Amino acid sequence: MDFDALFSAQLDALREDGNYRIFAELERRCGAFPRAKSHDDDAPDEVTVWCSNDYLGMGQHEAVRTAMKDAVDRCGTGAGGTRNISGTAHDHVVLEREIADLHGKEAALLFTSGYVSNWAALSTLGSRLPDAVILSDALNHASMIEGIRHSRAHKVLWKHNDAEDLDRKLAALPANAPKIVAFESVYSMDGDICPMEEIVEVAEKHGAMTYLDEVHAVGLYGPRGGGVSEERGLAHRITLIEGTLGKAYGCMGGYISGSASLCDFIRSFASGFIFTTALPPAVAAAATASIRHLKQSQSERAAQRARVAYLRARLDAAGIPHLANPSHIIPVMIKDPVKCRMLADILMRDWGIYVQPINYPTVPKGTERLRFTPGPLHSEADIDRLVGALGQLWRQCALAHAVA
């Protein structure tokens, strides 16, 4: 059998639909972010990155870089294997304590990525709690969906951000079944924020556990960067808070935080933790430095909010459609996969502006968009240039000036 022919046929279909993904080959320049060197032949040598999840530029921060370099000199590069076999590095323990403190929890547990922490925690909870039911927001991330699916627990979908629908779904379940309400704070594609207090109150009413994904909020919201749950004074009412070190903290890795028994339960039964090589100690040391800095510094968050507001105002003035939301994520709606890819290519080739088109299956068909994440290291001049380029393309391509 010609397997390559089978692969190629499906890839060709993906291209015809406009959903084939092309990766830009970039080289981040330390100290110059959001500038990056491009290694693509059809792009300028230097481009400006507009879609990074390093939301606050902490991957460039001197304290974070120094912590990583010092840890390499102290410990070497890798962790040497899984924590079960090679031992837990002291830097892992220090970071877990820092994360637990960040969320006001007894304990925390590190994973190699936010995807793995969601997959491992939800699959373990769903499979190890007898007769568990996981109630999942309809727009939860793929990592949560995969974890729930792998658990083989009974799954109930509730309408996105609809606490009343969640209440109805919980009321229909057996009173003695362990119930887990899984949802996110900031949804990364539309940038909307959940009605957290209403969701928590409904879950508490039915004795359900709350599982909150804060990956697009940690570092960014709350007086110490503890996320939306900290900002709204609700962290103590959330059973498990999951987060990432790879976005606002500028490093790599994922985690869960909660009670000591909950974290020990996941540590003891989650295959995604037990059988995976641990994060390098240097990465853990850098993440610790980043969290500590953002616990006491407000300047990065304030500068980012100012850039977000400025970009939204400039887009409004230019008549460029973008989804209104209370978060730092600015989706500019294109609603066509081919045009979305084409616009991204032109921005890169002619303007040195890098933004990745967001097409199906990341978002539903017909809702394709360019997703912009302005940060504190973007200047107002950068924003003016971006909006000027978008305005010119809108006129040339006769795109709609409406969001809906």
Side-chain angles (χ1 to χ4, degrees):
M1 181 174 287
D2 188 347
F3 286 101
D4 280 345
L6 296 175
F7 303 149
S8 296
Q10 294 198 35
L11 289 170
D12 289 342
L14 201 62
R15 291 186 183 93
E16 290 173 8
D17 290 340
N19 292 322
Y20 181 75
R21 299 172 188 234
I22 300 170
F23 295 158
E25 186 179 349
L26 303 177
E27 184 178 338
R28 285 160 62 102
R29 288 177 168 169
C30 189
F33 190 76
R35 306 287 184 269
K37 176 178 173 58
S38 173
H39 290 270
D40 292 338
D41 293 336
D42 57 350
D45 289 340
E46 183 179 88
V47 301
T48 303
V49 178
W50 281 100
C51 51
S52 174
N53 285 343
D54 186 357
Y55 292 129
L56 299 177
M58 292 302 293
Q60 306 285 308
H61 197 281
E62 183 179 2
V64 178
R65 293 187 288 111
T66 298
M68 180 175 281
K69 289 184 286 188
D70 288 350
V72 168
D73 291 339
R74 176 167 43 86
C75 301
T77 53
T82 69
R83 289 170 68 175
N84 293 280
I85 293 175
S86 297
T88 286
H90 177 64
D91 290 287
H92 295 147
V93 176
V94 171
L95 176 54
E96 286 172 342
R97 289 172 181 162
E98 201 70 44
I99 292 167
D101 173 78
L102 174 69
H103 294 298
K105 299 298 184 186
E106 290 180 341
L109 187 67
L110 284 173
F111 293 84
T112 51
S113 73
Y115 191 104
V116 174
S117 55
N118 265 336
W119 179 88
L122 281 167
S123 64
T124 302
L125 290 167
S127 63
R128 299 290 307 190
L129 297 177
D131 302 317
V133 180
I134 302 179
L135 297 99
S136 178
D137 184 285
L139 293 187
N140 275 343
H141 189 263
S143 58
M144 303 174 80
I145 296 168
E146 286 296 323
I148 296 167
R149 180 181 295 131
H150 188 261
S151 76
R152 298 186 179 179
H154 180 48
K155 173 184 174 181
V156 175
L157 279 180
W158 48 286
K159 294 177 184 177
H160 177 55
N161 281 346
D162 189 334
E164 292 183 1
D165 188 53
L166 173 63
D167 189 20
R168 288 190 292 269
K169 299 289 173 61
L170 280 165
L173 295 173
N176 61 346
K179 293 173 278 288
I180 303 165
V181 175
F183 61 108
E184 302 180 39
S185 57
V186 179
Y187 287 82
S188 63
M189 289 300 109
D190 287 351
D192 53 330
I193 298 178
C194 74
M196 192 175 296
E197 185 170 8
E198 289 89 338
I199 293 170
V200 170
E201 287 178 352
V202 167
E204 289 175 345
K205 170 184 171 183
H206 295 278
M209 170 183 172
T210 43
Y211 183 110
L212 173 64
D213 176 319
E214 286 260 42
V215 296
H216 289 278
V218 290
L220 299 168
Y221 299 87
R224 301 195 310 155
V228 177
S229 57
E230 182 194 31
E231 181 179 70
R232 299 185 180 178
L234 295 168
H236 66 289
R237 295 170 66 183
I238 306 290
T239 315
L240 183 155
I241 297 176
E242 185 267 351
T244 185
L245 306 167
K247 292 182 170 59
Y249 291 122
C251 296
M252 178 184 176
Y255 63 82
I256 61 166
S257 61
S259 69
S261 59
L262 186 155
C263 291
D264 196 21
F265 178 79
I266 302 298
R267 181 191 70 87
S268 300
F269 293 111
S271 62
F273 175 84
I274 295 169
F275 299 106
T276 302
T277 297
L279 285 175
V283 173
T288 299
S290 186
I291 292 172
R292 284 176 176 170
H293 176 82
L294 289 174
K295 279 180 177 178
Q296 52 83 31
S297 175
Q298 303 300 322
S299 61
E300 292 83 5
R301 288 189 281 272
Q304 189 216 33
R305 287 193 292 271
R307 297 295 183 269
V308 169
Y310 185 71
L311 177 52
R312 286 193 183 279
R314 294 286 287 110
L315 290 171
D316 286 339
I320 305 296
H322 58 100
L323 284 182
N325 63 54
S327 78
H328 57 284
I329 294 165
I330 303 179
V332 170
M333 305 307 292
I334 311 299
K335 302 182 181 180
D336 179 278
V338 176
K339 286 184 179 179
C340 200
R341 174 80 262 174
M342 177 188 69
L343 288 173
D345 289 344
I346 295 173
L347 286 169
M348 185 74 152
R349 184 192 68 214
D350 296 347
W351 296 82
I353 290 171
Y354 173 60
V355 59
Q356 185 70 6
I358 307 295
N359 290 350
Y360 178 83
T362 306
V363 294
K365 292 180 180 180
T367 67
E368 294 80 9
R369 79 276 313 262
L370 301 175
R371 176 183 176 273
F372 294 95
T373 54
L377 300 181
H378 289 100
S379 67
E380 289 190 355
D382 290 331
I383 293 173
D384 291 341
R385 188 168 184 275
L386 168 65
V387 175
L390 288 171
Q392 183 171 315
L393 289 178
W394 240 253
R395 291 187 295 271
Q396 290 175 351
C397 301
L399 293 168
H401 288 259
V403 176

